Amino acid sequence: MEAQQASPDSSSEECTVLEALPGKGTALICSQHKGKVSVLYCLSCENSVCEDCMNGEHAGHPTDSLENIVDQQLAALQDRVDSAQNRLPQIREAVQSLRDILQQLSSQRSSIEEDIHSSFSELHKTLDTRKSVLLMELEVTSGLKQKVLQGQLDTLLQEEAAINYNCSQTGEALDGENKAVILQTHKDVGERLSDLASQGLPLQPEENDQLDLMMEIEGLRKSIHNLGTIVTTNAVASQTEASGEGLEQCVVGQPATVIITTRDKSGGLCKTGNAIISAEVCTPDGSVADGEIVDHKNGTYEFQYTVKKEGNFSLALRLYDQHIKGSPFQLKVTSSPDDSPPTTTAANSPGSRSRQKGVRRGGSLLGTPKKRVNPIEDDLIFRIGTKGRNKGEFTNLQGVAACSEGKILIADSNNQCVQIFSNTGEFQSRFGVRGRLPGQLQRPTGVAVHPNGDIIIADYDNKWVSIFSSEGKYKAKLGSGRLMGPKGVSVDQNGHVIVVDNKACTVFIFQPSGKLVTKFGSRGNGDRQFAGPHFAAVNNNNEIIITDFHNHSVKVFNADGEFLLKFGSNGEGNGQFNAPTGVAVDVNGNIIVADWGNSRIQVFDGSGSFLSYINTAADPLYGPQGLALTSDGHVVVADSGNHCFKVYRYLQ
């Protein structure tokens, strides 16, 4: 067998080459001393040598057994392969995370495009130019984000391919049978594998999937040239930090504060607000302490919380559903200040002014509301809310429900949550995690309460209905694969779930188990047809009342979906509608309807004859959505355009 040629970068002083000796398997022979087997390895020259070589050019050089060196290099090569392959799960996890973010980004973009088109369709031709500008801004913003994420994804995929390729080159060497191949592979591939194993990789997302649209309709005539903003940040969880005494310790019953500073992928400070941040203080029994996040609109956020008992707790801070640096934090709560060093809160620090401005707004939303004093007599008892993402704040509130336990539930659509208040307007709780997995909310639009206490939520973008316990724990979903765009939900006297599918123009009736009972309706303007139906209510006869938005009417069906009657037409007069939305029924069978386009609430008898309207003149509605009757007999309505809900006096 002919001797193999030495590699191009081999030293000119080498006196051995790799060669298989005839009849001796994989033994190495010396190129300088024919017929001599190389049994030693010169450590100085890093070559295999024979005994004659050691008496000549390599005299005095340190050596080791060739077998030992081969075993060592084989083990080292295997370690490097293992080290490189250990990166693969991390890469695959990061790749999946990036793909999820890209999918979410694309979904958000599609959702916002729909919102933009829907909003601008209601305006005049003078808005077309601004519409194009916004769509271009969305395209550029999402494109830049996609470019960053796609570039990161491509890098990781290339690295994955490089590791797999180089690891595959070691296949023959790793079987340990051919010493020549082992030595050559170690030289050719070993160093590359080391580089691949140690190379820094962008495993954390370098962008996020946030794309939000802020659309203000008030003052449109004055601000038409600046209408609409694509809202996002460049903040990433892996660089975002938290500081403050409240990270480590607090005192029972006393407010503690944590400052969250958002940063981009390079560690630079984000200087704008609107990032989606969540915070949880978990007690040992799994409950969550009361807390509030205040957006300072400068890239920093303040989380103020109070714990009601001492012990060791966990504080989790997340940005876009990912833990920030150091999260979750270990928190110690003591019974008195003497048990721990004094806590310096933001109220005593130079930054206190921003905090107080963020927390203490005129007319606290979280306190007990007082009766509104109006310049003229009206039916308004109180209003709760302003635009925002905190407790008692809303962004595009939609559905409303009330239950016999004295609670008011609000589907806070663009904040992806449901907020719960008492009949007197006191905030009690909220739940909801943004996302497209079962148990998460993407665009909650309708809410109802089942007689067993379960909370039923129509999720327009996830195209299903979610069922939660009264404490907000996810239990099940129904309608997945059937629904196209569920808007409103209600419950009939049999405990069946009624779902108004806005996109499909169909009403579905399900058992709570998810089994379909019946469905009725199609797109059109006939008696059994709908054009963008919104919400539903059920009267004492178990009849189903549907608001038919674009047909400007209200339609009544029996429990089997058979048409009974309809009332209303397009207009501004008594009994007419300009796109009806929310609907409720009182104990006498009277039907209360939110008239979206006319921004009013009308009352009809059970046959559809106009009776009266609720006086809202002193504090006008602006695009009312969901509507319900509280357990104490008042009307509660989601005043979507004013980012609040209002409770009105109602005489039955």
Side-chain angles (χ1 to χ4, degrees):
M1 183 178 293
E2 295 182 358
Q4 299 178 9
Q5 294 296 319
S7 63
D9 55 357
S10 298
S11 170
S12 60
E13 297 181 357
E14 289 181 359
C15 62
T16 60
V17 294
L18 304 180
E19 182 175 325
L21 190 64
K24 295 191 178 182
T26 59
L28 302 179
I29 65 170
C30 180
S31 62
Q32 298 297 323
H33 305 93
K34 295 298 183 181
K36 294 290 186 178
V37 177
S38 298
V39 295
L40 299 174
Y41 188 85
C42 179
L43 299 177
S44 299
C45 303
E46 297 185 348
N47 284 307
S48 58
V49 296
C50 68
E51 293 181 357
D52 289 352
C53 292
M54 294 307 303
N55 295 326
E57 294 182 37
H58 294 270
H61 291 185
T63 62
D64 196 353
S65 165
L66 180 61
E67 292 291 337
N68 289 341
I69 295 299
V70 168
D71 290 343
Q72 291 173 12
Q73 293 191 2
L74 178 61
L77 186 61
Q78 183 64 58
D79 288 343
R80 292 176 181 179
V81 169
D82 293 342
S83 179
Q85 289 179 334
N86 286 339
R87 300 300 300 277
L88 291 177
Q90 296 174 299
I91 293 175
R92 289 166 185 151
E93 182 178 354
V95 165
Q96 185 58 49
S97 175
L98 288 171
R99 283 174 172 157
D100 290 343
I101 294 174
L102 282 167
Q103 181 180 2
Q104 193 82 340
L105 180 65
S106 176
S107 174
Q108 284 295 98
R109 173 182 169 179
S110 298
S111 175
I112 291 174
E113 283 182 335
E114 180 184 339
D115 289 343
I116 291 173
H117 287 298
S118 175
S119 297
F120 276 92
S121 67
E122 301 164 7
L123 304 176
H124 297 290
K125 292 181 179 180
T126 52
L127 297 175
D128 288 342
T129 300
R130 183 59 185 169
K131 174 183 177 182
S132 300
V133 171
L134 275 177
L135 289 173
M136 183 180 297
E137 184 181 348
L138 174 63
E139 179 73 19
V140 171
T141 303
S142 63
L144 291 174
K145 285 177 170 286
Q146 189 169 14
K147 183 178 180 180
V148 171
L149 291 167
Q150 189 64 52
Q152 186 182 1
L153 180 61
D154 291 342
T155 298
L156 291 174
L157 290 174
Q158 290 172 6
E159 197 69 18
E160 181 183 26
I163 290 176
N164 286 329
Y165 173 78
N166 283 279
C167 287
S168 69
Q169 300 302 305
T170 65
E172 186 177 354
L174 291 177
D175 63 18
E177 295 182 4
N178 193 322
K179 298 182 177 62
V181 172
I182 292 172
L183 293 172
Q184 192 67 38
T185 302
H186 182 271
K187 284 185 177 181
D188 295 342
V189 183
E191 185 175 352
R192 291 201 299 272
L193 286 171
S194 295
D195 292 341
L196 290 170
S198 60
Q199 183 176 348
L201 295 176
L203 298 178
Q204 295 298 322
E206 296 180 348
E207 255 293 3
N208 59 65
D209 61 348
Q210 184 186 8
L211 285 174
D212 289 328
L213 173 69
M214 295 183 66
M215 183 70 73
E216 294 286 352
I217 304 299
E218 298 96 338
L220 178 59
R221 296 182 184 273
K222 296 180 180 179
S223 59
I224 190 171
H225 296 294
N226 297 309
L227 178 64
T229 302
I230 302 299
V231 177
T232 187
T233 75
N234 297 112
V236 294
S238 60
Q239 296 291 338
T240 295
E241 302 169 326
S243 59
E245 291 284 348
L247 277 179
E248 300 177 353
Q249 56 194 17
C250 70
V251 177
V252 172
Q254 295 187 13
T257 301
V258 174
I259 300 298
I260 302 164
T261 303
T262 56
R263 298 185 182 276
D264 61 23
K265 65 178 182 179
S266 302
L269 178 64
C270 295
K271 298 181 180 180
T272 59
N274 298 306
I276 299 176
I277 294 177
S278 62
E280 284 186 331
V281 179
C282 296
T283 63
D285 60 6
S287 61
V288 179
D290 185 35
E292 179 177 18
I293 296 176
V294 177
D295 185 352
H296 289 167
K297 304 299 182 182
N298 61 358
T300 65
Y301 304 78
E302 181 176 325
F303 175 51
Q304 189 176 77
Y305 65 92
T306 304
V307 183
K308 298 181 180 179
K309 61 181 179 181
E310 59 182 316
N312 295 317
F313 302 84
S314 173
L315 169 58
L317 300 174
R318 295 181 177 89
L319 174 69
Y320 302 110
D321 296 330
Q322 295 184 342
H323 284 286
I324 69 170
K325 276 187 177 180
S327 177
F329 302 91
Q330 299 305 309
L331 176 66
K332 183 177 182 180
V333 182
T334 56
S335 58
S336 68
D338 296 336
D339 297 333
S340 62
T343 300
T344 302
T345 65
N348 300 319
S349 66
S352 63
R353 195 172 177 185
S354 295
R355 183 192 66 81
Q356 291 175 355
K357 184 176 180 182
V359 175
R360 299 187 180 276
R361 300 175 176 82
S364 172
L365 302 176
L366 304 181
T368 302
K370 298 180 180 179
K371 177 179 178 181
R372 180 183 173 87
V373 179
N374 296 309
I376 61 174
E377 182 180 359
D378 73 356
D379 297 324
L380 179 67
I381 301 175
F382 61 82
R383 61 178 284 171
I384 297 293
T386 186
K387 188 170 186 179
R389 295 185 178 276
N390 297 320
K391 294 184 295 186
E393 297 177 344
F394 307 100
T395 307
N396 190 25
L397 66 169
Q398 295 276 312
V400 177
C403 64
S404 58
E405 286 77 17
K407 296 179 180 180
I408 297 171
L409 294 84
I410 306 293
D412 192 0
S413 181
N414 287 11
N415 285 334
Q416 292 88 26
C417 70
V418 169
Q419 300 199 46
I420 302 176
F421 300 80
S422 70
N423 277 353
T424 56
E426 295 170 332
F427 176 86
Q428 293 188 342
S429 64
R430 69 176 177 181
F431 65 89
V433 175
R434 174 191 179 202
R436 295 188 177 276
L437 299 175
Q440 297 178 330
L441 301 176
Q442 188 65 22
R443 191 178 173 188
T445 52
V447 60
V449 180
H450 195 275
N452 65 10
D454 286 346
I455 299 172
I456 303 166
I457 302 172
D459 194 331
Y460 192 91
D461 281 358
N462 277 333
K463 301 179 182 179
W464 63 54
V465 172
S466 295
I467 300 177
F468 294 80
S469 71
S470 58
E471 292 80 26
K473 302 297 184 183
Y474 175 70
K475 297 179 69 174
K477 67 175 180 177
L478 55 85
S480 180
R482 293 182 182 269
L483 302 174
M484 296 175 60
K487 174 77 174 181
V489 287
S490 187
V491 181
D492 69 12
Q493 295 181 2
N494 298 319
H496 295 156
V497 178
I498 300 167
V499 183
V500 181
D501 193 327
N502 175 267
K503 279 191 176 181
C505 293
T506 302
V507 175
F508 292 82
I509 302 178
F510 295 94
Q511 293 180 0
S513 63
K515 181 180 179 180
L516 180 65
V517 177
T518 189
K519 66 177 181 177
F520 58 90
S522 60
R523 186 177 302 276
N525 56 12
D527 289 345
R528 297 188 77 254
Q529 293 181 311
F530 305 103
H534 268 50
F535 293 99
V538 178
N539 64 19
N540 290 334
N541 297 324
N542 207 31
E543 295 168 343
I544 303 169
I545 303 162
I546 306 293
T547 53
D548 195 354
F549 190 83
H550 293 295
N551 283 330
H552 311 289
S553 62
V554 175
K555 297 177 179 178
V556 183
F557 302 83
N558 68 15
D560 296 322
E562 296 178 357
F563 175 78
L564 299 178
L565 65 95
K566 72 175 179 180
F567 57 91
S569 60
N570 190 17
E572 299 179 357
N574 290 344
Q576 292 185 308
F577 301 110
N578 184 5
T581 49
V583 61
V585 183
D586 68 18
V587 293
N588 298 316
N590 297 321
I591 302 171
I592 308 159
V593 183
D595 189 356
W596 180 82
N598 291 324
S599 290
R600 62 184 179 180
I601 301 173
Q602 300 190 73
V603 184
F604 302 81
D605 66 17
S607 64
S609 298
F610 174 80
L611 295 178
S612 63
Y613 63 90
I614 293 178
N615 185 6
T616 62
D619 189 7
L621 297 169
Y622 191 78
Q625 286 278 350
L627 180 147
L629 275 171
T630 64
S631 59
D632 53 359
H634 300 313
V635 171
V636 55
V637 61
D639 191 356
S640 186
N642 288 319
H643 314 295
C644 67
F645 72 88
K646 296 175 179 176
V647 175
Y648 291 94
R649 191 172 293 104
Y650 178 70
L651 301 178
Q652 302 189 39

